[in-house]
Amino acid sequence: MEVCRATAFSWTHTISTSLHVSLPLSKFETKRLSVWCASDQNQKANTMTVSITGATGFIGRRLVQRLHADNHSVHVLTRSKSKAELIFPVKEFPGIVIAEEPEWKDSIRGSNGVVNLAGVPISTRWSPEIKKEIKDSRIRVTSKVIDLINDLPDSVRPTVLVSATAVGYYGTSETQVFDEQSPSGNDYLAEVCREWEATALKVNKDVRLALIRIGVVLGKDGGALAKMIPLFMVFAGGPLGSGKQWFSWIHLDDIVNLIYEALSNPSYKGVIKFSPRLSM
């Protein structure tokens, strides 16, 4: 495999559970790497059982596909079994477990990890009723998941919880650069994120918690980009305002890879913000 970069920097990346590469790449330098693939026995030893809320959403669908393709056991925690069965038909996803709320505890019991992605989409017109639902849907599901995890005996309790939150935590600014240590903002979304994260932080202290502050997720099959593309297809798209405004974004595959890594890598703990800036 050849890796080539046009600028000097140090590149470190885990290609698999059995290979870690760390090497400097100077300008226009090409390095040839030998990749050793883990045996089937090692792959089986690393198989996870993962319970996922919000699995029928934009990120959740791709995450389920990725985990299933890598032969991990997936438990879809849903409020609508019929909807989940349409999205994950048994012929394409053999062995997948689809559980409605009364069955969530049994699904979480014995899982290695839980991924919490549930919440009403925010990309809609905000009436007072919708704003209440946006917050309540996140707090309610997160609180339920935390209670179910905490009530389990140590021997069958998941060891990791990857819980979504959002870059809305920071509020907005045209010039400021935010990182994991930046203070929270004072607008509505910042309030939602603070309460969302505070609820997740109530998980048992023996459970590794990764809070991922996600930006706008871009992918051709859905999300924000799918809503923007049709405007450009009819020549109605273009620059907005001064062009200096920006938003934090992440590609769908990148956020799925990040969640996947957070499930198995013990160094992923606490708040994680992973999103570059995009000018409009």
Side-chain angles (χ1 to χ4, degrees), residues 3-279:
V3 180
C4 185
R5 293 291 186 273
T7 55
F9 65 102
S10 179
W11 178 66
T12 302
H13 184 64
T14 303
I15 293 177
S16 72
T17 56
S18 56
L19 175 65
H20 186 80
V21 180
S22 180
L23 46 85
L25 299 176
S26 58
K27 189 173 182 180
F28 298 116
E29 182 182 0
T30 298
K31 294 289 185 181
R32 185 174 297 276
L33 309 177
S34 296
V35 179
W36 177 77
C37 296
S39 65
D40 290 343
Q41 184 176 357
N42 287 337
Q43 289 175 346
K44 289 179 180 178
N46 293 322
T47 296
M48 299 180 289
T49 298
V50 182
S51 293
I52 306 172
T53 69
T56 58
F58 186 44
I59 301 173
R61 294 185 193 195
R62 184 65 64 89
L63 179 62
V64 170
Q65 292 169 357
R66 170 76 187 279
L67 289 166
H68 187 266
D70 286 354
N71 296 315
H72 298 292
S73 297
V74 179
H75 294 178
V76 172
L77 308 183
T78 181
R79 291 182 297 169
S80 175
K81 191 170 185 176
S82 58
K83 177 183 177 181
E85 287 174 340
L86 289 174
I87 294 172
F88 306 114
V90 66
K91 288 184 178 180
E92 297 177 24
F93 296 89
I96 198 171
V97 175
I98 297 177
E100 291 189 308
E101 283 199 51
E103 305 167 304
W104 283 16
K105 184 174 183 177
D106 290 336
S107 289
I108 292 174
R109 177 189 296 269
S111 292
N112 301 103
V114 176
V115 178
N116 178 36
L117 301 172
V120 171
I122 67 171
S123 55
T124 184
R125 188 178 297 275
W126 288 359
S127 65
E129 293 76 19
I130 290 295
K131 289 175 70 174
K132 184 177 186 301
E133 189 176 1
I134 285 172
K135 181 193 288 188
D136 290 351
S137 65
R138 285 160 173 77
I139 305 305
R140 185 187 71 82
V141 174
T142 302
S143 181
K144 181 178 181 66
V145 167
I146 297 304
D147 288 344
L148 292 175
I149 291 174
N150 291 349
D151 288 344
L152 289 171
D154 293 346
S155 59
V156 291
R157 182 183 294 129
T159 58
V160 56
L161 169 63
V162 180
S163 195
T165 172
V167 294
Y169 175 91
Y170 303 107
T172 59
S173 171
E174 289 190 0
T175 58
Q176 190 173 354
V177 176
F178 302 105
D179 60 24
E180 287 83 353
Q181 284 72 46
S182 297
S184 179
N186 53 17
D187 58 13
Y188 164 70
L189 285 181
E191 176 187 324
V192 171
C193 291
R194 284 196 303 271
E195 294 189 27
W196 198 4
E197 293 184 14
T199 303
L201 284 167
K202 296 176 183 178
V203 73
N204 185 288
K205 298 307 179 184
D206 291 331
V207 177
R208 178 170 57 86
L209 173 63
L211 287 167
I212 303 183
R213 290 178 181 159
I214 304 172
V216 176
V217 180
L218 300 181
K220 65 179 182 179
D221 299 323
L225 193 59
K227 295 183 178 181
M228 291 187 279
I229 286 178
L231 292 174
F232 288 86
M233 296 296 290
V234 296
F235 305 101
L240 301 176
S242 66
K244 293 181 179 180
Q245 65 273 33
W246 58 272
F247 66 87
S248 293
W249 67 277
I250 186 169
H251 190 272
L252 176 60
D253 290 338
D254 290 328
I255 186 60
V256 167
N257 288 340
L258 178 59
I259 295 170
Y260 192 102
E261 184 72 9
L263 283 167
S264 59
N265 189 331
S267 68
Y268 283 65
K269 186 176 182 180
V271 173
I272 301 167
K273 182 183 78 70
F274 187 77
S275 53
R277 289 164 45 137
L278 176 67
S279 294

